[in-house]
Short mmCIF file of all heavy atoms in Angstrom, two decimals:
data_model
loop_
_atom_site.label_atom_id
_atom_site.label_comp_id
_atom_site.label_asym_id
_atom_site.label_seq_id
_atom_site.Cartn_x
_atom_site.Cartn_y
_atom_site.Cartn_z
N ALA A 95 -3.17 0.08 -19.61
CA ALA A 95 -3.27 -0.58 -18.30
C ALA A 95 -4.39 0.05 -17.48
O ALA A 95 -5.19 -0.65 -16.83
CB ALA A 95 -1.94 -0.46 -17.57
N ASN A 96 -4.49 1.37 -17.53
CA ASN A 96 -5.54 2.06 -16.76
C ASN A 96 -6.92 1.66 -17.27
O ASN A 96 -7.83 1.36 -16.49
CB ASN A 96 -5.33 3.58 -16.92
CG ASN A 96 -6.19 4.38 -15.98
OD1 ASN A 96 -6.28 4.06 -14.79
ND2 ASN A 96 -6.84 5.40 -16.49
N LYS A 97 -7.08 1.60 -18.58
CA LYS A 97 -8.37 1.23 -19.17
C LYS A 97 -8.73 -0.22 -18.82
O LYS A 97 -9.89 -0.53 -18.51
CB LYS A 97 -8.32 1.43 -20.69
CG LYS A 97 -9.63 1.14 -21.37
CD LYS A 97 -9.60 1.50 -22.85
CE LYS A 97 -10.91 1.17 -23.55
NZ LYS A 97 -11.42 -0.18 -23.32
N LEU A 99 -7.93 -1.89 -16.15
CA LEU A 99 -8.42 -1.95 -14.76
C LEU A 99 -9.83 -1.37 -14.65
O LEU A 99 -10.69 -1.94 -13.96
CB LEU A 99 -7.45 -1.20 -13.83
CG LEU A 99 -6.15 -1.97 -13.52
CD1 LEU A 99 -5.09 -1.03 -12.96
CD2 LEU A 99 -6.42 -3.09 -12.52
N ILE A 100 -10.07 -0.26 -15.33
CA ILE A 100 -11.42 0.34 -15.27
C ILE A 100 -12.45 -0.63 -15.85
O ILE A 100 -13.50 -0.87 -15.26
CB ILE A 100 -11.46 1.69 -16.03
CG1 ILE A 100 -10.61 2.72 -15.30
CG2 ILE A 100 -12.90 2.20 -16.15
CD1 ILE A 100 -10.43 4.04 -16.05
N LEU A 103 -12.89 -3.59 -13.30
CA LEU A 103 -13.47 -3.26 -11.99
C LEU A 103 -14.88 -2.67 -12.10
O LEU A 103 -15.72 -2.89 -11.23
CB LEU A 103 -12.56 -2.29 -11.24
CG LEU A 103 -11.23 -2.92 -10.80
CD1 LEU A 103 -10.24 -1.86 -10.35
CD2 LEU A 103 -11.47 -3.92 -9.67
N CYS A 109 -17.12 -3.64 -6.35
CA CYS A 109 -16.16 -2.53 -6.40
C CYS A 109 -16.91 -1.20 -6.49
O CYS A 109 -17.61 -0.94 -7.46
CB CYS A 109 -15.22 -2.70 -7.60
SG CYS A 109 -14.00 -1.39 -7.67
N ALA A 110 -16.74 -0.40 -5.45
CA ALA A 110 -17.47 0.88 -5.39
C ALA A 110 -16.83 1.93 -6.29
O ALA A 110 -17.52 2.76 -6.87
CB ALA A 110 -17.51 1.37 -3.96
N GLY A 111 -15.51 1.89 -6.40
CA GLY A 111 -14.86 2.94 -7.17
C GLY A 111 -13.38 2.68 -7.38
O GLY A 111 -12.82 1.71 -6.85
N TYR A 112 -12.79 3.56 -8.15
CA TYR A 112 -11.40 3.36 -8.57
C TYR A 112 -10.70 4.71 -8.66
O TYR A 112 -11.24 5.67 -9.21
CB TYR A 112 -11.43 2.69 -9.95
CG TYR A 112 -10.13 2.60 -10.69
CD1 TYR A 112 -9.16 1.66 -10.33
CD2 TYR A 112 -9.85 3.44 -11.77
CE1 TYR A 112 -7.97 1.57 -11.03
CE2 TYR A 112 -8.66 3.35 -12.49
CZ TYR A 112 -7.72 2.40 -12.11
OH TYR A 112 -6.55 2.30 -12.80
N ALA A 113 -9.50 4.78 -8.09
CA ALA A 113 -8.69 5.99 -8.22
C ALA A 113 -7.32 5.58 -8.75
O ALA A 113 -6.79 4.54 -8.35
CB ALA A 113 -8.53 6.67 -6.86
N SER A 114 -6.79 6.36 -9.65
CA SER A 114 -5.47 6.00 -10.18
C SER A 114 -4.68 7.24 -10.52
O SER A 114 -5.21 8.34 -10.66
CB SER A 114 -5.60 5.08 -11.39
OG SER A 114 -5.34 5.77 -12.58
N ILE A 117 -5.90 9.29 -13.63
CA ILE A 117 -7.15 10.04 -13.77
C ILE A 117 -7.22 11.14 -12.71
O ILE A 117 -6.79 10.94 -11.58
CB ILE A 117 -8.40 9.12 -13.69
CG1 ILE A 117 -8.34 8.16 -12.49
CG2 ILE A 117 -8.60 8.35 -14.97
CD1 ILE A 117 -9.54 7.26 -12.36
N GLU A 119 -9.77 12.65 -11.06
CA GLU A 119 -10.65 12.41 -9.91
C GLU A 119 -11.05 10.94 -9.89
O GLU A 119 -11.22 10.33 -10.95
CB GLU A 119 -11.95 13.23 -10.06
CG GLU A 119 -11.75 14.74 -10.03
CD GLU A 119 -11.45 15.26 -8.64
OE1 GLU A 119 -11.86 14.60 -7.66
OE2 GLU A 119 -10.79 16.32 -8.54
N PRO A 120 -11.27 10.36 -8.70
CA PRO A 120 -11.69 8.96 -8.64
C PRO A 120 -13.02 8.73 -9.36
O PRO A 120 -13.85 9.63 -9.45
CB PRO A 120 -11.86 8.70 -7.14
CG PRO A 120 -11.09 9.76 -6.47
CD PRO A 120 -11.10 10.95 -7.37
N LEU A 121 -13.18 7.50 -9.85
CA LEU A 121 -14.45 7.11 -10.48
C LEU A 121 -15.28 6.35 -9.46
O LEU A 121 -14.75 5.53 -8.71
CB LEU A 121 -14.18 6.17 -11.66
CG LEU A 121 -13.27 6.70 -12.77
CD1 LEU A 121 -12.99 5.58 -13.78
CD2 LEU A 121 -13.96 7.87 -13.46
N ILE A 122 -16.58 6.62 -9.43
CA ILE A 122 -17.47 5.84 -8.56
C ILE A 122 -18.34 4.97 -9.46
O ILE A 122 -19.02 5.47 -10.35
CB ILE A 122 -18.34 6.77 -7.68
CG1 ILE A 122 -17.47 7.61 -6.73
CG2 ILE A 122 -19.37 5.96 -6.88
CD1 ILE A 122 -16.70 6.82 -5.68
N PHE A 123 -18.30 3.65 -9.21
CA PHE A 123 -19.12 2.73 -10.01
C PHE A 123 -20.43 2.39 -9.29
O PHE A 123 -21.50 2.40 -9.86
CB PHE A 123 -18.38 1.41 -10.29
CG PHE A 123 -17.01 1.58 -10.87
CD1 PHE A 123 -15.91 0.92 -10.33
CD2 PHE A 123 -16.81 2.39 -11.98
CE1 PHE A 123 -14.64 1.06 -10.87
CE2 PHE A 123 -15.54 2.54 -12.53
CZ PHE A 123 -14.45 1.87 -11.97
N MET A 130 -13.05 -0.20 -2.47
CA MET A 130 -12.50 0.77 -3.43
C MET A 130 -11.13 0.26 -3.86
O MET A 130 -10.41 -0.30 -3.03
CB MET A 130 -12.27 2.11 -2.74
CG MET A 130 -13.45 2.73 -2.05
SD MET A 130 -14.53 3.30 -3.33
CE MET A 130 -15.32 4.68 -2.58
N VAL A 131 -10.77 0.52 -5.10
CA VAL A 131 -9.43 0.11 -5.56
C VAL A 131 -8.63 1.34 -5.96
O VAL A 131 -9.16 2.25 -6.61
CB VAL A 131 -9.54 -0.87 -6.76
CG1 VAL A 131 -8.16 -1.18 -7.34
CG2 VAL A 131 -10.23 -2.16 -6.32
N VAL A 132 -7.38 1.37 -5.53
CA VAL A 132 -6.46 2.44 -5.97
C VAL A 132 -5.32 1.76 -6.73
O VAL A 132 -4.94 0.63 -6.38
CB VAL A 132 -5.87 3.23 -4.78
CG1 VAL A 132 -6.95 4.03 -4.09
CG2 VAL A 132 -5.18 2.31 -3.78
N ALA A 133 -4.79 2.42 -7.74
CA ALA A 133 -3.74 1.74 -8.51
C ALA A 133 -2.79 2.71 -9.21
O ALA A 133 -3.17 3.81 -9.60
CB ALA A 133 -4.37 0.82 -9.56
N PRO A 135 -1.44 2.00 -12.48
CA PRO A 135 -1.70 0.94 -13.48
C PRO A 135 -0.42 0.42 -14.14
O PRO A 135 -0.27 -0.75 -14.40
CB PRO A 135 -2.61 1.60 -14.50
CG PRO A 135 -3.14 2.84 -13.85
CD PRO A 135 -2.15 3.25 -12.80
N PHE A 165 -11.61 7.23 -0.22
CA PHE A 165 -10.24 7.09 -0.74
C PHE A 165 -9.24 7.86 0.13
O PHE A 165 -8.09 7.50 0.22
CB PHE A 165 -10.14 7.66 -2.16
CG PHE A 165 -10.75 6.79 -3.20
CD1 PHE A 165 -11.92 7.16 -3.85
CD2 PHE A 165 -10.16 5.59 -3.57
CE1 PHE A 165 -12.48 6.37 -4.82
CE2 PHE A 165 -10.71 4.79 -4.55
CZ PHE A 165 -11.88 5.18 -5.18
#
Side-chain angles (χ1 to χ4, degrees):
N96 190 46
K97 183 173 178 310
L99 284 163
I100 293 172
L103 291 167
C109 182
Y112 170 77
S114 105
I117 48 180
E119 296 286 334
L121 302 173
I122 297 295
F123 307 131
M130 304 288 210
V131 174
V132 292
F165 285 110

